[in-house]
Amino acid sequence: MPFPPLSRTLSGPRRRSLLASVAGGALLVGCSDGAASTEEGTAGSPSVVERARVRAARDSRGMVERYDAVLSAYPTLAERLGPLRAEAVRHAEAFGGMVTEASPTASAAPGPGPASPSATVPATDRDALAGLAAAERSLADRRAKELLDVPGELARLLASVAAAGAAHAYLLTENAR
């Protein structure tokens, strides 16, 4: 009576079970309520979530200011930029920020960071659109990285707004090709 052939199965977990475990673990982490990260710090500092929310609102206001600066310099772009500016206003409001109406001096408003307006608007409308696209892209990338550090609802909001920012960057460069 011959012996059955030896099985060549490897001991230990298989690739599918490892992937399923990693995916399940990621879902469990994503489903946490974030209570630990929303609590106040030991020195009474704002929570990580609150700081991220304030920063996101400030960045969105900066984008609105950039749109205002370009619109005041190039009113012919109003039809193209109006909907994108309105979205930036909604983003700021979603993060708890307030946005005032466009001011004619917005082009001179200085500020730090890639989402804030520069001291001057570029000399051509094409360069102004490229500058807006670069700012939207940079802000979207930064938000995509930040969403990994915040829990639940704020992470989903950051992801959504980052995706919208990437779409804005695309729309701003669409006709430049």
Side-chain angles (χ1 to χ4, degrees):
M1 177 166 163
F3 291 105
L6 292 175
S7 162
R8 301 200 96 215
T9 60
L10 300 174
S11 63
R14 295 183 186 235
R15 188 179 342 180
R16 285 185 187 166
S17 60
L18 282 175
L19 290 174
S21 297
V22 170
L27 287 174
L28 289 175
V29 170
C31 292
S32 70
D33 66 357
S37 47
T38 59
E39 293 178 11
E40 295 278 332
T42 57
S45 64
S47 70
V48 171
V49 172
E50 188 56 30
R51 285 192 308 262
R53 186 179 303 279
V54 168
R55 184 174 42 251
R58 182 186 65 230
D59 290 344
S60 291
R61 282 192 309 269
M63 280 309 306
V64 172
E65 291 170 3
R66 278 186 170 275
Y67 280 108
D68 289 345
V70 171
L71 285 168
S72 73
Y74 302 104
T76 57
L77 295 174
E79 185 177 331
R80 183 172 182 184
L81 298 182
L84 300 178
R85 181 197 181 275
E87 283 293 315
V89 168
R90 282 192 285 280
H91 296 162
E93 291 168 350
F95 290 116
M98 302 268 306
V99 177
T100 58
E101 285 302 311
S103 66
T105 60
S107 61
S116 64
S118 61
T120 60
V121 175
T124 67
D125 59 349
R126 187 178 184 133
D127 289 342
L129 291 173
L132 283 172
E136 285 278 17
R137 194 174 305 108
S138 173
L139 183 56
D141 291 345
R142 196 172 63 226
R143 284 180 169 159
K145 290 176 187 171
E146 287 176 356
L147 71 90
L148 300 173
D149 298 328
V150 295
E153 193 60 34
L154 183 57
R156 286 185 285 277
L157 181 59
L158 277 171
S160 176
V161 173
H168 291 181
Y170 170 78
L171 291 172
L172 288 165
T173 59
E174 181 180 23
N175 292 336
R177 295 178 191 190

